Amino acid sequence: MSRVLWTVWVLGAVTNLSKEEAPDQASSLSCDPTGICDGRSRSLSSIPAGLTAAVRSLDLSNNEIASISDNDLRGCVNLKALKLASNGITTIEEESFVSLQSLEHLDLSYNLLSNLSSFWFRPLSSLKFLNLLGNLYKSLGETPLFSQLTNLRILKVGNIYHFTELQEKDFAGLTFLEELEIDASNLQRYEPKSLKSIQNISHLALRMKQPVLLLEIFVDLSSSLKHLELRDTHLNTFRFSEASISETNTLIKKWTFRNVKVTDGSFSEIVKLLNYISGVSEVEFEDCTLDGLGDFDISSEDKIKSIGGIEILTVRRLYIPYFYSFYDMSSIYSLTVEVKRITVESSKVFLVPCSLSQHLKSLEYLDLSDNLMLEEYLRNSACEHAWPLLQTLILRQNRLKSLEKTGETLLTLKNLTNLDISKNNYVSMPETCQWPEKLKYLNLSNTRIHSVTPCIPWTLEILDISNNNLDSFSLILPQLKELYISENKLKTLPDASFLPMLRVMRISRNIISTFSKEQLESFHTLEALDAGGNHFLCSCEFLSFTQEQRALVQILIDWPENYWCDSPFSVRGRRVRDAHLPASECHRAALVSAVGSVLLLLLLLTGVLCHRCHGLWYLKMMWAWLQAKRKPRKAPPRDLCYDAFVSYSEHDAYWVENVMVQELEHFDPPFRLCLHKRDFIPGKWIIDNIIDSIEKSHKTIFVLSENFVKSEWCKYELDFSHFRLFDENNDAAILILLEPIEKKAIPQRFCKLRKIMNTKTYLEWPTDETQQEGFWLNLRTAVKS
């Protein structure tokens, strides 16, 4: 509850802050709900008004603030970080920071402060970081500035032009600093013991152009400093004097020379200094210039002592103007006997002489990254008895081109276990290679290879072939524990049976579309899998597997952030964890079965209904009717061949053929009747015969009886006549009731017959002979009409 109230209060306070600011600055300060306010590079001329206790961090760097008054920050009682760098501040009133007891980070660098006041820092008991670099002050004042800052851990003071002296009282009260940076580029005066008051300094970065006062400073720091970094110094005139150093046992473990210029002579002096003192185990040169030919004057005594205890030597981006006239450096070979780790990066090294390699008897780690090494020169460097204890060799980003030659050249390194030859231009890989027998780690990333072969040693435990052009991986590596194969073109996971000991596999950013539970379970020892950044086909099986297997989350690295669906289109761009497909896709088999069952039931039901309701008959009739519809609706008079077509049941044939035909065809004038037995064309489809006969007849006579309604062909003939009757709206049909028929005996499909019998007059055959003459008269009249 209290947390919710606090959040509400912060939001309210920040909102009020934005409302209370001056109109011209209201939009220049943006604060988030946690109280972090950003006002960088907003052309502010003063600290915004109305700052409250809600502000936790305030960054006003790169503005035009010239002064800070006592009231500007009065309300910021909870402020933790205040950044005012690069503003042009000239004055700070004494009580400007009086309410900032919680402040931990203060940056006043690169302003125009010519005087520093101890009153500013007295209230800042919680301060851990203070940056005063790049101002205009000449010294740190007449009274100790930092005596109240008991929690201070990082301090940066000085400037490149104006800061000229360090005094004994400057750092009074400071007992421990993690980092101290002093820009003393123009230092002219150093009072002894000025830095000695600090009892423990982890890292001192000292910028000074000339080394005149370097030894005096070194003496004060020898018992309290662990890492000395010298920046931007011209050591051309540096001379070491044993008389200036009384304590040879120092606390300093590491020396760093950054952007330092050295000559042959001054390098020799540095060697003398490092030989004289003890305890230094690491020396580092970064972005340095060696202005000489390697003609070092190292005395026999210095050679014998070696560089007392130095085990780590690092050289990065060393520039040698007269590189091609450089000596072989044989004068310093003896100084390297005890060195265990050497790094020489980006320094245009193309050869390590065999004699130097043989002197590096303690070397365990050698990094020659980003240089000019070729196989031919590497053979000279890795000569017999060279680097006898070497375990790790890094030749990343050189000029190596042949894996076969590289492996053969390194066979002399009997203890080599780790080899990094990444970022070389190998392109292809031979079928077989020779490698040092103890090799366990091999890095072939970024070498443009497009396939892997048994050239890779089977003894490997770690293999990195990332960022190449591989589309498959089928090597048998029985001892491999870690495989890094990201950024290739693989479409599926490697075969687990080839990698029985695999624990870690990184196969991200390939073109893998899916992997299954069975595939992962086949890697019996797998503990971590990074498969993010692939183009996943989010099928129902894949989604079900990845979303429901909780144990999978413990194996997958970067889950779920780097796992996205690429297809199908409906879930493209969604995280695999959040993607869901419709049930119709995920249960397709069940859906097909259900639909099939329903259709089968519908077919069965339709069949039953067709049988009960004569649906098949209707279909047949519909087809015949459609056939009839394509013909002319009514034949022209010249095409009428008959006066009437007679439709009757075979059971009534006697009455039709012997009674009705005799009465009509032998009458004067005679009527011409169409009978199917007599007039249908042989070989012609019976349906076409019926339709043609009806269409070529003036009338259609239906001889109705119980036999008629049971006859299939009579049904066709009646229906075709009905169609004609319905289409043409005439009286083409003549009904003769040969015998009484009950209406319920007439099938439902004879709905038109029922309608005609209800709405039209039909002729009824009389059993009384006296009435039969009238029947024939009426029939002849109906046929003629």
Side-chain angles (χ1 to χ4, degrees):
M1 183 64 181
S2 60
R3 191 174 181 180
V4 174
L5 291 174
W6 168 253
T7 302
V8 173
W9 180 77
V10 168
L11 288 172
V14 172
T15 303
N16 291 334
L17 169 64
S18 63
K19 291 180 179 178
E20 293 172 5
E21 289 173 348
D24 60 331
Q25 297 182 2
S27 60
S28 299
L29 190 63
S30 57
C31 300
D32 67 14
T34 63
I36 298 177
C37 297
D38 184 5
R40 292 173 294 174
S41 305
R42 311 290 176 92
S43 299
L44 299 176
S45 59
S46 63
I47 293 178
L51 297 174
T52 69
V55 181
R56 295 300 189 92
S57 174
L58 180 61
D59 190 347
L60 298 174
S61 304
N62 298 296
N63 282 291
E64 300 170 6
I65 300 171
S67 62
I68 305 174
S69 69
D70 292 342
N71 297 319
D72 284 342
L73 300 166
R74 186 77 66 178
C76 301
V77 295
N78 293 310
L79 193 64
K80 296 285 187 181
L82 177 60
K83 301 176 183 179
L84 294 166
S86 304
N87 266 285
I89 298 172
T90 57
T91 57
I92 300 176
E93 294 185 4
E94 289 187 352
E95 297 186 357
S96 295
F97 305 143
V98 71
S99 62
L100 306 183
Q101 288 87 355
S102 299
L103 192 67
E104 297 178 355
H105 183 110
L106 177 59
D107 189 350
L108 293 170
S109 59
Y110 302 100
N111 284 291
L112 302 176
L113 297 171
S114 56
N115 293 292
L116 303 177
S117 172
S118 60
F119 289 101
W120 301 344
F121 309 116
R122 286 179 184 176
L124 308 181
S125 57
S126 300
L127 197 65
K128 297 179 180 179
F129 175 97
L130 176 59
N131 189 349
L132 296 171
L133 287 171
N135 281 278
L136 302 180
Y137 51 84
K138 296 181 179 180
S139 68
L140 296 181
E142 298 179 358
T143 58
L145 293 177
F146 318 117
S147 58
Q148 304 298 318
L149 305 181
T150 56
N151 290 304
L152 194 65
R153 294 294 176 265
I154 300 175
L155 175 62
K156 301 184 179 187
V157 297
N159 56 71
I160 191 170
Y161 297 115
H162 303 87
F163 190 63
T164 58
E165 64 175 335
L166 281 172
Q167 305 169 75
E168 184 177 354
K169 52 80 187 168
D170 284 347
F171 301 101
L174 297 177
T175 57
F176 171 65
L177 287 176
E178 293 176 2
E179 181 181 343
L180 173 61
E181 181 177 345
I182 302 176
D183 187 345
S185 300
N186 196 30
L187 189 66
Q188 299 174 11
R189 178 172 174 267
Y190 178 80
E191 285 189 10
K193 301 182 180 179
S194 293
L195 289 168
K196 197 174 184 65
S197 61
I198 309 175
Q199 299 174 9
N200 192 338
I201 306 173
S202 297
H203 179 200
L204 169 62
L206 179 61
R207 180 179 284 107
M208 53 191 312
K209 289 184 178 179
Q210 300 300 327
V212 178
L213 302 172
L214 179 59
L215 286 178
E216 294 182 47
I217 295 174
F218 176 77
V219 169
D220 283 354
L221 292 170
S222 60
S223 60
S224 60
L225 180 64
K226 295 179 181 177
H227 178 194
L228 174 59
E229 179 181 336
L230 195 62
R231 297 180 180 176
D232 306 330
T233 308
H234 294 177
L235 290 177
N236 301 11
T237 59
F238 176 69
R239 293 293 178 268
F240 169 69
S241 171
E242 295 183 6
S244 61
I245 299 179
S246 58
E247 181 62 55
T248 60
N249 294 318
T250 68
L251 190 64
I252 299 176
K253 300 296 182 184
K254 180 177 180 180
W255 272 56
T256 297
F257 298 88
R258 194 181 307 277
N259 194 26
V260 170
K261 291 186 177 181
V262 183
T263 63
D264 290 343
S266 59
F267 179 80
S268 302
E269 297 298 316
I270 293 173
V271 171
K272 291 178 182 179
L273 171 62
L274 295 176
N275 270 333
Y276 187 76
I277 61 176
S278 61
V280 178
S281 62
E282 182 175 356
V283 178
E284 184 176 32
F285 295 88
E286 288 203 7
D287 300 299
C288 294
T289 300
L290 177 54
D291 192 3
L293 302 176
D295 185 14
F296 306 125
D297 182 17
I298 309 296
S299 67
S300 300
E301 181 182 353
D302 292 329
K303 291 181 180 180
I304 294 172
K305 292 174 64 175
S306 181
I307 302 181
I310 291 180
E311 297 182 351
I312 302 174
L313 174 63
T314 302
V315 179
R316 292 189 178 94
R317 296 174 296 279
L318 176 64
Y319 174 56
I320 305 176
Y322 305 104
F323 176 76
Y324 294 103
S325 300
F326 209 70
Y327 285 26
D328 63 2
M329 299 189 296
S330 58
S331 59
I332 63 169
Y333 284 178
S334 61
L335 304 178
T336 62
V337 174
E338 296 184 13
V339 179
K340 295 182 178 180
R341 295 174 63 93
I342 293 180
T343 298
V344 182
E345 290 183 7
S346 308
S347 300
K348 298 184 179 179
V349 174
F350 62 88
L351 174 68
V352 179
C354 175
S355 54
L356 175 58
S357 299
Q358 291 172 339
H359 274 87
L360 294 169
K361 298 182 182 301
S362 301
L363 192 66
E364 299 175 358
Y365 176 98
L366 176 60
D367 185 352
L368 295 173
S369 298
D370 191 18
N371 284 292
L372 306 175
M373 298 293 293
L374 297 169
E375 283 87 359
E376 292 77 8
Y377 300 137
L378 180 61
R379 187 181 302 277
N380 184 279
S381 302
C383 59
E384 195 70 27
H385 306 300
W387 310 321
L389 299 180
L390 190 67
Q391 298 176 14
T392 299
L393 176 61
I394 300 175
L395 295 169
R396 179 176 54 247
Q397 199 170 345
N398 275 272
R399 304 292 177 86
L400 306 176
K401 296 181 179 180
S402 170
L403 269 177
E404 185 176 10
K405 290 181 179 179
T406 300
E408 184 180 349
T409 299
L410 301 178
L411 287 175
T412 57
L413 308 179
K414 304 301 183 181
N415 291 300
L416 189 68
T417 57
N418 305 313
L419 176 61
D420 184 348
I421 46 177
S422 60
K423 294 188 177 181
N424 283 285
N425 194 21
Y426 287 117
V427 182
S428 62
M429 182 179 294
E431 286 298 319
T432 58
C433 301
Q434 292 180 292
W435 299 97
E437 59 183 13
K438 293 185 179 180
L439 195 63
K440 300 295 182 183
Y441 168 87
L442 179 61
N443 189 340
L444 282 169
S445 62
N446 292 278
T447 53
R448 302 183 183 179
I449 56 175
H450 51 76
S451 64
V452 289
T453 70
C455 168
I456 293 179
W458 64 272
T459 58
L460 290 182
E461 295 183 0
I462 302 174
L463 174 61
D464 189 344
I465 46 176
S466 305
N467 201 6
N468 283 295
N469 298 313
L470 304 178
D471 55 14
S472 64
F473 183 88
S474 56
L475 285 183
I476 300 176
L477 298 172
Q479 300 180 33
L480 196 70
K481 297 178 180 178
E482 299 181 20
L483 175 62
Y484 301 89
I485 196 168
S486 300
E487 297 185 75
N488 280 284
K489 299 177 181 179
L490 272 68
K491 298 179 180 179
T492 184
L493 298 181
D495 192 329
S497 63
F498 296 161
L499 310 167
M501 301 295 291
L502 195 66
R503 295 179 183 175
V504 176
M505 178 164 57
R506 291 184 178 269
I507 196 166
S508 60
R509 296 185 296 283
N510 278 273
I511 54 175
I512 295 173
S513 60
T514 187
F515 53 85
S516 65
K517 178 181 178 181
E518 292 72 21
Q519 279 182 300
L520 289 190
E521 289 180 346
S522 64
F523 292 94
H524 303 297
T525 58
L526 192 65
E527 298 173 359
L529 172 65
D530 180 5
N534 281 289
H535 305 294
F536 288 113
L537 168 61
C538 290
S539 63
C540 299
E541 296 78 8
F542 181 71
L543 292 179
S544 175
F545 162 55
T546 54
Q547 294 174 1
E548 295 177 7
Q549 293 289 328
R550 294 184 178 180
L552 186 63
V553 177
Q554 299 175 356
I555 295 178
L556 289 180
I557 299 173
D558 291 337
W559 171 270
E561 288 78 11
N562 289 341
Y563 295 79
W564 299 83
C565 294
D566 185 64
S567 61
F569 183 77
S570 59
V571 293
R572 177 177 292 178
R574 295 186 188 178
R575 285 179 179 166
V576 173
R577 185 185 65 177
D578 303 327
H580 297 283
L581 294 174
S584 58
E585 291 191 38
C586 293
H587 304 285
R588 187 166 296 174
L591 182 64
V592 169
S593 299
V595 171
S597 300
V598 171
L599 289 175
L600 181 59
L601 289 174
L602 288 175
L603 287 173
L604 291 174
L605 182 60
T606 303
V608 172
L609 290 175
C610 286
H611 178 73
R612 294 291 301 274
C613 302
H614 306 281
L616 188 59
W617 181 83
Y618 278 113
L619 290 175
K620 292 180 179 178
M621 288 299 300
M622 182 60 67
W623 171 251
W625 179 73
L626 290 174
Q627 292 291 103
K629 290 288 284 184
R630 292 206 296 264
K631 297 184 178 182
R633 288 179 174 266
K634 187 174 182 179
R638 63 180 179 272
D639 293 335
L640 294 177
C641 301
Y642 306 100
D643 292 307
F645 169 73
V646 182
S647 176
Y648 59 95
S649 170
E650 191 65 33
H651 294 286
D652 301 325
Y654 178 81
W655 184 87
V656 172
E657 296 169 1
N658 295 294
V659 179
M660 188 178 72
V661 170
Q662 293 297 323
E663 284 291 333
L664 296 181
E665 288 191 346
H666 293 88
F667 187 77
D668 187 18
F671 291 89
R672 186 174 182 186
L673 301 180
C674 179
L675 304 179
H676 65 270
K677 282 185 178 181
R678 184 184 66 191
D679 300 310
F680 277 10
I681 299 173
K684 191 174 184 179
W685 190 34
I686 190 169
I687 296 296
D688 287 339
N689 271 317
I690 293 172
I691 294 173
D692 289 344
S693 299
I694 292 175
E695 289 182 345
K696 292 179 179 180
S697 301
H698 180 60
K699 298 286 184 176
T700 301
I701 300 174
F702 293 97
V703 181
L704 304 179
S705 66
E706 290 187 1
N707 294 322
F708 181 93
V709 297
K710 294 177 181 178
S711 170
E712 188 74 17
W713 295 113
C714 291
K715 296 168 193 174
Y716 291 154
E717 293 163 356
L718 178 62
D719 268 291
F720 291 136
S721 178
H722 285 181
F723 291 141
R724 182 180 176 188
L725 181 66
F726 178 76
D727 291 340
E728 300 176 15
N729 196 23
N730 59 19
D731 295 332
I734 300 173
L735 304 182
I736 298 175
L737 193 60
L738 193 61
E739 60 184 8
I741 303 175
E742 295 184 8
K743 288 187 178 181
K744 64 181 181 180
I746 302 175
Q748 290 293 330
R749 60 184 180 274
F750 281 90
C751 57
K752 290 188 178 181
L753 177 58
R754 289 167 173 264
K755 183 177 180 181
I756 293 172
M757 292 181 70
N758 289 330
T759 58
K760 293 186 65 175
T761 302
Y762 53 85
L763 300 175
E764 190 172 353
W765 173 250
T767 56
D768 188 353
E769 293 183 1
T770 59
Q771 298 178 356
Q772 291 178 358
E773 184 61 33
F775 169 82
W776 297 117
L777 178 62
N778 291 334
L779 178 58
R780 287 192 289 269
T781 303
V783 172
K784 290 179 180 179
S785 61

